[in-house]
Amino acid sequence: MTHTQSPAERYSAARTRASQPKLQAFESGLKFDLDPFQREACACLEAGNSVLVAAPTGAGKTIVAEFAIYLAMQQSRAKVFYTAPMKALSNQKFQEFVAEYGADQVGLLTGDSNVNPGARIVVMTTEVLRNMLYASSDLLTNLAFVVMDEVHYLADRFRGAVWEEVIIHLPQPVRMVSLSATVSNAEEFGDWLQAVRGETDVIVSEERPVPLEQHVLVKNNMLDLFDSTGLIGTHRVNPELVRLAHAGGRSAGGRGRGSGRQGGSSGGYRGHDKHRPQFDAGRMDRGDIVRMLDGKHLLPAIFFIFSRVGCDQAVRQVLRSGVRLTQEHERDEIRRIVDDRCRTLLDEDLGVLGYFEWLDGLERGVAAHHAGLLPAFKEVVEELFQKKLVKAVFATETLALGINMPARTVVLDKLEKFNGEARVPITPGEYTQLTGRAGRRGIDTLGHSVIQWAQGLDPQAVASLASRRTYPLNSSFKPTYNMAVNLIDQFGVARTRGVLESSFAQFQADRAVVDLARSVRQQEESLAGFKTSMTCHLGNFEEYSSIRRRLTEVEREGTKADNSLRGERDKRQREVASLRKQMRAHGCHHCPDREAHSRWAERWFKLKRQTDALNQQISQRTGAIARVFDRVTDVLLGYGYLESDARGTIALSESGRILRRIYAERDLLVAESLRRGLWKDLDAASLAAMACALVFEPRREEGLIDARYLPKGPFRPALDETQDLWSRIDDLERDHKLPGSNPLAVGLSLAMWKWARGASLADVLYEAEMAAGDFVRWTKQTIDLLDQLVQVDQRSIAGTGRVGPIAREAMDSIRRGIVAYSSVA
């Protein structure tokens, strides 16, 4: 039924349009109507505010960023920076904006790509923007908006601090458009943004653009996770699944009810149909699952498998089963795209890259997607999936982060994953992120998630996971050496402490302190009540109770230490005798209500212990970030990167200028190695191997590397000196109550050395025992560190060992073949 607006409603709508002329003009150029949350966020931008938009994956948050770009382009010189957490996502947004605004208006800065940096719209990784802010780059002139896509990455323990640095240091006139997944504390994050950035509106939408139907796949039956007997919205678990769980995977009578959904319509077995099929709870072959989904019109699908090896094995299993999901014209199109995107790959590399098997899978509509793949291959898979040419992708969870690859169906192989130490259940946030891929806006009326049944599966736990769509955003911010010297150089120590205390980390700690203080106040009221109840007219019952408690402790120690030395036993017996004497002599010992008072005293002591612990937490949290900064400052003073004058004013030394330009994880170790000239005798290949040892993080415990498997020549003595320096820095950090760092990881150094000396890809990957995608990623990070050494040297910073020319040569020697080709790291 069409709603006819009243005169008052028409008048209100007309006034709204008149007050938002730019939004009206922007929306008139779209092919669809804006959702309420999109319109609200855009209106806030037009009103001159910053915005935080928290909404599910695929809800259309980026339209708000596009409106910010539209607003900037209405001005003559205003610029927009679009930051993304991953180079892959940066590349994708760059291509989209080039198609929309033209190549002359769009730039790309990702560390290894430098395209049109002076453009009006520049896409970049967050680290690039952080470095620009510290360097006071000229590119910041006329900056009007910064879009922070996937801002919930702020919680990432390795890279999250960069987001906070950017938010704190952006010039105040710059407005921010922060786009986040649905987080449960969006308002808290918004309050912090308001505190550090000024007027910021928080817009939260929990509506999925495409509703999600959730199923459990038991043998060849797709059962609804939630009851579908009319109790919609109750999130009541399907009783059939509960019975299955209790029966250990066998339904009562061996019967089950499948949902049989086809293209979003209800069907299959319902009610009490006596002809329902018999089944057990065995798992279907993956090829059969793909065929089943194809038959139900539930492709394209993403199968999330939390293992790279598992993804590759799944593709091989599906291909062995004879699955073919493409028509002849689609195969022709696939071959054309692959030939075009991979034409620069060397013929001798194709075999070691598994190119022909990969192409066979693509032509049949099946592919893997994970970090071990050559980045060029991942890009092709993404493009073919978006064009509906690849129908089944087996992926690790990294695909769920940012890349635009929505599917009709998401299949979860398991609900637990290996976190590097143990197998742990996935969190509600991870479940939301993964299933957020299900349902293509404008194409599907329903998205589907399918969980494969496994022994021990608890339907209630799964339902809880599926019902909780939000997760908290917690800061991972901590001061680093590089951050400290940059901030002190700009602001001095006193103001730097203030800057750090304005971080989201301290904001959350202070919020927590408020809650802790509230608990302390409540407990102190209870303590006062307990104290009144244990008051005795014959004396101080707290004192009497303390004697009794100490007596109990000493007697308990005696029972536990029967075999202790005679001297200790005698000492304990004397103390027991003394305590008993004190207890009997105390006035409260003769009180007729003594035991009633004692019960209140026990409660008082227990609550007092808890209250003291809360007060300890409060003292630890207040100013926690600034305390870490003080420890970092002490280390830098000790090594001479900071110096103090006669008045106690702390400033950068000449060596501090080196550290300002080193953004690596091991910033102090790199700077100190340069200053001591530890690498001055290294040739290009050896310097590449050293840089690799500084950035490489093995996926599993490597163990000791035999000296025979290290590069020969000048590398080994330089490595010994660098490791010795690391050990001394690590000891000093721990003395200053800083966490320290892991030893250098040399597991990839020999392979990098050989690659720099011209070895073939096959030899290097064999030496590294590593997938091509991993090798490319670590080589790119090695290049990034080498480039920092070049930059330090080009700025003629004294005392760096003059490694710049060799670092440039090392970069050129390893930026070749698949590393030079790959546009994504």
Side-chain angles (χ1 to χ4, degrees):
M1 180 183 293
T2 304
H3 171 67
T4 304
Q5 288 186 316
S6 68
E9 288 173 326
R10 286 199 300 274
Y11 175 71
S12 175
R15 285 198 58 171
T16 300
R17 284 194 297 273
S19 67
Q20 299 162 359
K22 292 175 182 174
L23 176 54
Q24 293 304 312
F26 173 72
E27 190 169 8
S28 67
L30 300 175
K31 296 177 182 176
F32 54 88
D33 292 333
L34 292 177
D35 288 342
F37 87 89
Q38 294 170 324
R39 187 174 289 106
E40 183 184 357
C42 291
C44 294
L45 286 177
E46 186 166 356
N49 295 347
S50 295
V51 293
L52 166 63
V53 182
T57 302
K61 296 185 287 289
T62 51
I63 199 74
V64 183
E66 289 172 25
F67 181 61
I69 294 171
Y70 175 85
L71 288 176
M73 299 305 274
Q74 303 302 300
Q75 304 172 44
S76 57
R77 293 180 179 166
K79 295 198 296 192
V80 179
F81 287 172
Y82 192 109
T83 74
M86 296 177 294
K87 293 177 184 177
L89 186 54
S90 296
N91 279 286
Q92 191 176 71
K93 300 310 294 186
F94 171 70
Q95 299 294 347
E96 290 175 11
F97 291 147
V98 165
E100 177 75 20
Y101 298 100
D104 61 321
Q105 298 286 357
V106 186
L108 177 67
L109 293 171
T110 61
D112 51 34
S113 296
N114 189 327
V115 180
N116 199 12
R120 299 275 304 278
I121 307 162
V122 186
V123 182
M124 62 186 67
T125 53
T126 319
E127 281 85 353
V128 168
L129 178 53
R130 185 271 310 272
N131 298 352
M132 287 169 62
L133 289 166
Y134 281 159
S136 300
S137 169
D138 292 340
L139 295 175
L140 296 166
T141 305
N142 296 320
L143 182 61
F145 291 95
V146 166
V147 177
M148 301 201 79
D149 201 355
E150 309 280 339
V151 75
H152 51 275
Y153 250 84
L154 180 143
D156 183 84
R157 70 190 181 99
F158 297 110
R159 300 172 56 211
V162 177
W163 273 255
E164 290 191 49
E165 290 177 76
V166 167
I167 292 167
I168 291 169
H169 297 305
L170 269 179
Q172 278 301 320
V174 177
R175 281 183 280 161
M176 278 186 51
V177 179
S178 305
L179 307 178
S180 171
T182 311
V183 292
S184 53
N185 59 336
E187 286 77 12
E188 178 189 43
F189 185 51
D191 287 346
W192 175 67
L193 289 173
Q194 175 95 13
V196 296
R197 302 293 320 158
E199 288 300 324
T200 302
D201 294 306
V202 179
I203 290 90
V204 177
S205 172
E206 298 190 27
E207 290 297 314
R208 280 181 54 99
V210 179
L212 181 68
E213 288 225 334
Q214 305 182 77
H215 317 279
V216 178
L217 179 61
V218 187
K219 188 63 175 174
N220 59 349
N221 287 259
M222 269 173 50
L223 303 181
D224 291 338
L225 173 59
F226 295 110
D227 191 5
S228 54
T229 57
L231 299 173
I232 301 299
T234 62
H235 282 123
R236 177 173 176 263
V237 177
N238 186 343
E240 186 93 28
L241 284 174
V242 177
R243 284 196 295 274
L244 267 172
H246 289 158
R250 295 178 302 278
S251 67
R255 296 172 178 172
R257 184 171 67 224
S259 72
R261 304 276 178 181
Q262 299 195 22
S265 62
S266 298
Y269 300 96
R270 291 284 182 237
H272 299 281
D273 187 347
K274 64 183 178 181
H275 300 297
R276 289 179 298 184
Q278 305 281 314
F279 66 92
D280 62 39
R283 288 164 72 91
M284 287 179 76
D285 178 273
R286 288 197 177 98
D288 291 336
I289 296 175
V290 171
R291 286 192 186 90
M292 180 194 72
L293 294 177
D294 190 27
K296 292 178 179 289
H297 307 293
L298 293 179
L299 295 181
I302 298 172
F303 294 73
F304 282 112
I305 298 173
F306 302 119
S307 148
R308 301 171 179 191
V309 173
C311 291
D312 294 335
Q313 287 175 341
V315 170
R316 286 194 289 271
Q317 186 183 44
V318 170
L319 296 182
R320 278 199 307 270
S321 73
V323 164
R324 187 179 294 278
L325 303 171
T326 55
Q327 306 294 320
E328 185 175 352
H329 71 279
E330 293 175 312
R331 292 192 285 277
D332 292 340
E333 176 70 358
I334 289 167
R335 277 190 295 272
R336 186 192 65 75
I337 291 172
V338 172
D339 288 344
D340 180 59
R341 304 294 183 270
C342 300
R343 64 185 182 279
T344 58
L345 290 176
L346 301 176
D347 288 346
E348 61 263 30
D349 290 345
L350 297 181
V352 70
L353 292 172
Y355 172 85
F356 301 104
E357 298 89 338
W358 173 69
L359 178 57
D360 178 44
L362 294 179
E363 289 184 359
R364 291 161 65 176
V366 181
H369 188 289
H370 55 71
L373 275 183
L374 186 69
F377 286 9
K378 280 199 295 184
E379 289 176 2
V380 170
V381 171
E382 290 159 13
E383 182 177 353
L384 295 178
F385 193 81
Q386 287 161 10
K387 292 185 172 179
K388 306 173 193 172
L389 295 170
V390 164
K391 319 292 176 72
V393 170
F394 294 86
T396 54
E397 70 268 35
T398 52
L399 185 145
L401 301 171
I403 302 298
N404 181 28
M405 279 182 67
R408 175 166 289 177
T409 303
V410 162
V411 181
L412 298 182
D413 188 60
K414 290 187 175 71
L415 291 177
E416 61 177 22
K417 66 175 185 176
F418 186 71
N419 67 356
E421 298 175 0
R423 300 206 68 82
V424 295
I426 64 172
T427 65
E430 288 167 332
Y431 183 89
T432 302
Q433 195 85 348
L434 296 170
T435 56
R437 292 280 158 205
R440 298 162 300 175
R441 187 168 188 164
I443 301 174
D444 299 321
T445 55
L446 283 174
H448 298 265
S449 73
V450 179
I451 298 162
Q452 286 193 261
W453 179 273
Q455 286 298 326
L457 188 78
D458 178 3
Q460 299 286 358
V462 177
S464 172
L465 197 67
S467 303
R468 293 166 58 198
R469 299 200 178 281
T470 57
Y471 53 103
L473 178 60
N474 293 315
S475 172
S476 60
F477 183 85
K478 58 184 183 299
T480 65
Y481 298 112
N482 170 271
M483 186 194 302
V485 294
N486 272 290
L487 292 179
I488 289 171
D489 193 46
Q490 283 188 301
F491 306 124
V493 171
R495 190 170 162 208
T496 293
R497 291 180 103 257
V499 166
L500 295 175
E501 286 181 333
S502 70
S503 66
F504 186 46
Q506 190 58 55
F507 185 85
Q508 287 193 305
D510 291 342
R511 281 281 177 101
V513 164
V514 171
D515 292 336
L516 289 172
R518 187 182 302 117
S519 298
V520 166
R521 284 196 302 275
Q522 291 170 350
Q523 292 188 8
E524 284 174 344
E525 289 173 10
S526 298
L527 284 170
F530 292 169
K531 200 158 192 173
T532 301
S533 298
M534 71 179 186
T535 301
C536 178
H537 66 290
L538 296 176
N540 184 334
F541 203 87
E542 182 184 338
E543 181 183 79
Y544 174 71
S545 185
S546 296
I547 297 169
R548 281 181 53 148
R549 289 171 64 80
R550 178 59 187 159
L551 177 59
T552 304
E553 286 172 12
V554 176
E555 288 177 335
R556 191 176 294 129
E557 287 169 10
T559 21
K560 287 182 179 175
D562 286 336
N563 299 322
S564 58
L565 296 173
R566 181 172 179 179
E568 290 178 8
R569 285 202 308 272
D570 290 346
K571 182 180 175 184
R572 204 162 28 244
Q573 286 170 0
R574 285 196 298 273
E575 186 176 3
V576 166
S578 172
L579 288 167
R580 283 178 176 162
K581 185 176 179 182
Q582 292 176 50
M583 183 180 70
R584 293 189 185 111
H586 202 286
C588 295
H589 187 66
H590 307 289
C591 177
D593 298 322
R594 183 183 67 194
E595 293 311 309
H597 293 331
S598 290
R599 285 194 290 275
W600 284 111
E602 281 303 310
R603 293 178 192 174
W604 185 88
F605 275 109
K606 186 177 179 182
L607 191 60
K608 181 73 166 59
R609 246 192 340 261
Q610 294 172 1
T611 307
D612 289 344
L614 288 178
N615 280 318
Q616 179 69 17
Q617 285 186 52
I618 289 172
S619 66
Q620 287 171 350
R621 294 190 183 203
T622 305
I625 304 298
R627 276 203 302 277
V628 174
F629 167 71
D630 290 341
R631 293 168 192 160
V632 166
T633 303
D634 288 342
V635 171
L636 292 173
L637 283 165
Y639 271 106
Y641 289 91
L642 298 174
E643 50 194 16
S644 178
D645 63 17
R647 292 174 299 176
T649 303
I650 294 174
L652 258 66
S653 66
E654 188 60 32
S655 300
R657 312 268 161 215
I658 304 174
L659 187 52
R660 272 203 69 186
R661 301 290 172 184
I662 304 297
Y663 298 103
E665 188 82 16
R666 301 177 184 274
D667 45 12
L668 180 58
L669 178 60
V670 172
E672 190 65 7
S673 296
L674 287 174
R675 192 172 70 157
R676 295 179 184 222
L678 301 188
W679 306 335
K680 66 182 186 303
D681 297 326
L682 295 179
D683 56 23
S686 298
L687 187 56
M690 182 65 70
C692 178
L694 287 157
V695 300
F696 179 54
E697 296 172 6
R699 295 188 70 210
R700 291 184 178 82
E701 192 62 39
E702 250 191 329
L704 294 173
I705 296 292
D706 192 304
R708 291 173 298 174
Y709 301 107
L710 291 175
K712 297 176 182 176
F715 176 81
R716 296 186 188 185
L719 176 66
D720 289 341
E721 288 184 291
T722 306
Q723 286 179 319
D724 183 57
L725 175 59
W726 166 81
S727 180
R728 292 200 299 276
I729 290 175
D730 189 64
D731 287 345
L732 185 63
E733 287 174 329
R734 295 182 192 280
D735 288 345
H736 284 82
K737 297 181 180 177
L738 291 169
S741 59
N742 293 323
L744 276 68
V746 294
L748 188 55
S749 291
L750 182 58
M752 192 62 65
W753 183 77
K754 288 183 174 181
W755 182 247
R757 290 166 60 89
S760 71
L761 179 65
D763 286 346
V764 168
L765 294 184
Y766 176 79
E767 174 65 49
E769 297 181 343
M770 183 174 286
D774 291 322
F775 180 71
V776 169
R777 187 170 72 258
W778 292 119
T779 307
K780 289 291 185 71
Q781 292 199 27
T782 301
I783 289 170
D784 188 48
L785 177 55
L786 291 168
D787 187 47
Q788 291 175 41
L789 304 187
V790 172
Q791 298 302 319
V792 166
D793 201 61
Q794 283 179 345
R795 286 171 170 79
S796 301
I797 297 172
T800 60
R802 311 304 296 171
V803 300
I806 303 300
R808 169 64 67 189
E809 187 184 338
M811 286 170 65
D812 293 341
S813 69
I814 62 177
R815 191 192 276 125
R816 65 181 180 87
I818 61 171
V819 178
Y821 169 81
S822 303
S823 63
V824 181

